[in-house]
Amino acid sequence: MSPAKERFFAIVNPAAGGGKSGKLAGPELARLREKGLHIDVIASTGPGHALQLARESYTQGYRKFLAVGGDGTAHEILNGVFANNRPAERISLGFIPLGTGNSFLRDFTDQGAEASLDALLANRTRAVDLIRLTHARGEIFSFNILSVGFTADVGALSNRIFKPLGHLGYLFGVFVSVVQLKRRAFVLRSDDEPEWDTRRSLFLTFNNSKFTGGTMLIAPHADPSDGLIEFVRWGPIGRLGLLRMLPKLYDGTHIRHPLASRKAVKHVEFKIPVPVDVLIDGEIFSLECKSLDVIPSAVDIYI
């Protein structure tokens, strides 16, 4: 057996959490080493670097990964291993959640970093699904959420202008997006539906887990281990109605609104002829979307 297989490959995003990750990563990793974990560490230097590091480390024999940062760091690690080259051997991924959102772990615990460290020390994992987006230029894998419409508009604004403000910046992004409100048709059909859905919508989200934006309970029925994509659709609500509804996004009761709908699906096909902003695990991509599929029990998560 390759010696690397028994070691963790930790990728630190020092910029995550407004720089918090860079300051706290060393002490957190030291705690794990003191408890007997064997960890090799490298820091990413910018967007896309963690993806490259994960790809290279997998070819070197590593099968245990640690995302030290936010959901974006974990997203890059998974895509480094999975994109365009399905892994021949199973990988496991642990978190030291030092980013702004860390939405994914909220499905499992409200203890954050402590729960992650406990799982790593106990060697406790859970198999979770991934969602694969096929687009005009390739594939992207998601462990948390893919979304188009209002949610992607908020994410684009928050990342571009307000990211240094953390959760407050996300709220600023929400209110600016309300002012600039767009309601568009994202033509699609799911599973065996014969007809295309051409209705306008506020947003569409395709969820592997329940939370996004840190504490927003966008998909209360999602289960990251059920082999299904939780598809939440919101119809074209007006500005005042949206403002009244926004607080309900944080407790999941928004799903009861007459303009909301949800269903669990395995495959989604898009007919959108131009690139659109897509929110994927907290990051924004401009993509010409083709289809979504779920990959059941694709990766083991320490939780």
Side-chain angles (χ1 to χ4, degrees), residues 34-45:
E34 287 167 4
K35 299 286 188 178
L37 266 62
H38 301 289
I39 307 170
D40 296 324
V41 184
I42 194 165
S44 60
T45 57

Side-chain angles (χ1 to χ4, degrees), residues 9-16 21-23 25-26 29 40-54 56 66 68-69 73 76:
F9 191 81
I11 299 178
V12 179
N13 176 6
S21 179
K23 295 172 185 170
L29 290 166
D40 296 324
V41 184
I42 194 165
S44 60
T45 57
H49 191 207
L51 187 150
Q52 178 187 339
L53 292 170
E56 291 170 356
L66 262 178
V68 187
T73 310
E76 287 201 15

Side-chain angles (χ1 to χ4, degrees), residues 274-296:
V274 296
V276 295
D277 280 344
V278 188
L279 173 72
I280 306 178
D281 299 346
E283 304 298 321
I284 298 294
F285 302 84
S286 180
L287 301 170
E288 190 177 327
C289 302
K290 299 299 183 184
S291 62
L292 286 177
D293 295 279
V294 64
I295 306 174

Side-chain angles (χ1 to χ4, degrees), residues 192-301:
D192 298 325
E193 292 173 346
E195 302 295 326
W196 293 95
D197 186 345
T198 60
R199 295 174 294 171
R200 289 193 310 146
S201 60
L202 174 68
F203 66 76
L204 310 174
T205 69
F206 306 93
N207 308 272
N208 192 42
S209 56
K210 293 178 172 62
F211 290 91
T212 189
T215 57
M216 196 174 279
L217 186 52
I218 201 86
H221 294 89
D223 179 344
S225 302
D226 65 357
L228 297 165
I229 302 167
E230 178 70 8
F231 175 15
V232 175
R233 179 185 187 276
W234 257 87
I237 196 169
R239 286 183 181 85
L240 288 176
L242 175 56
L243 285 170
R244 282 195 292 266
M245 182 269 290
L246 283 175
K248 298 180 180 180
L249 287 168
Y250 289 89
D251 62 12
T253 57
H254 70 98
I255 208 74
R256 302 174 193 162
H257 192 283
L259 285 173
S261 63
R262 59 141 311 260
K263 59 182 173 180
V265 301
K266 291 186 176 182
H267 174 78
V268 179
E269 187 178 357
F270 297 99
K271 192 161 69 173
I272 308 172
V274 296
V276 295
D277 280 344
V278 188
L279 173 72
I280 306 178
D281 299 346
E283 304 298 321
I284 298 294
F285 302 84
S286 180
L287 301 170
E288 190 177 327
C289 302
K290 299 299 183 184
S291 62
L292 286 177
D293 295 279
V294 64
I295 306 174
S297 302
V299 62
D300 294 322
I301 298 291

Side-chain angles (χ1 to χ4, degrees), residues 56-302:
E56 291 170 356
S57 58
Y58 181 85
T59 64
Q60 292 164 7
Y62 290 92
R63 299 295 179 262
K64 298 179 178 181
F65 293 86
L66 262 178
V68 187
D71 286 340
T73 310
H75 170 86
E76 287 201 15
I77 291 172
L78 290 169
N79 277 273
V81 174
F82 278 83
N84 304 317
N85 183 22
R86 220 52 45 78
E89 295 184 44
R90 194 168 184 84
I91 70 159
S92 53
L93 176 64
F95 293 77
I96 299 182
L98 301 175
T100 304
N102 303 307
S103 303
F104 179 74
L105 289 179
R106 292 180 190 274
D107 272 44
F108 308 98
T109 177
D110 57 6
Q111 299 301 309
E114 288 304 316
S116 295
L117 295 178
D118 287 347
L120 288 161
L121 295 172
N123 196 32
R124 184 176 66 245
T125 63
R126 173 173 173 174
V128 305
D129 311 329
L130 290 178
I131 300 173
R132 178 181 61 214
L133 169 64
T134 303
H135 58 91
R137 301 193 308 275
E139 298 176 335
I140 295 183
F141 292 81
S142 165
F143 67 103
N144 175 216
I145 182 175
L146 296 100
S147 183
V148 293
F150 179 77
T151 39
D153 297 339
V154 171
L157 262 174
S158 301
N159 284 4
R160 193 169 70 242
I161 302 172
F162 302 122
K163 191 155 191 173
L165 300 176
H167 290 303
L168 182 60
Y170 194 84
L171 287 175
F172 281 141
V174 167
F175 285 109
V176 173
S177 297
V178 169
V179 173
Q180 301 174 344
L181 194 61
K182 302 170 188 172
R183 285 145 292 196
R184 291 151 286 182
F186 300 99
V187 180
L188 57 79
R189 59 187 177 189
S190 55
D191 289 344
D192 298 325
E193 292 173 346
E195 302 295 326
W196 293 95
D197 186 345
T198 60
R199 295 174 294 171
R200 289 193 310 146
S201 60
L202 174 68
F203 66 76
L204 310 174
T205 69
F206 306 93
N207 308 272
N208 192 42
S209 56
K210 293 178 172 62
F211 290 91
T212 189
T215 57
M216 196 174 279
L217 186 52
I218 201 86
H221 294 89
D223 179 344
S225 302
D226 65 357
L228 297 165
I229 302 167
E230 178 70 8
F231 175 15
V232 175
R233 179 185 187 276
W234 257 87
I237 196 169
R239 286 183 181 85
L240 288 176
L242 175 56
L243 285 170
R244 282 195 292 266
M245 182 269 290
L246 283 175
K248 298 180 180 180
L249 287 168
Y250 289 89
D251 62 12
T253 57
H254 70 98
I255 208 74
R256 302 174 193 162
H257 192 283
L259 285 173
S261 63
R262 59 141 311 260
K263 59 182 173 180
V265 301
K266 291 186 176 182
H267 174 78
V268 179
E269 187 178 357
F270 297 99
K271 192 161 69 173
I272 308 172
V274 296
V276 295
D277 280 344
V278 188
L279 173 72
I280 306 178
D281 299 346
E283 304 298 321
I284 298 294
F285 302 84
S286 180
L287 301 170
E288 190 177 327
C289 302
K290 299 299 183 184
S291 62
L292 286 177
D293 295 279
V294 64
I295 306 174
S297 302
V299 62
D300 294 322
I301 298 291
Y302 287 92

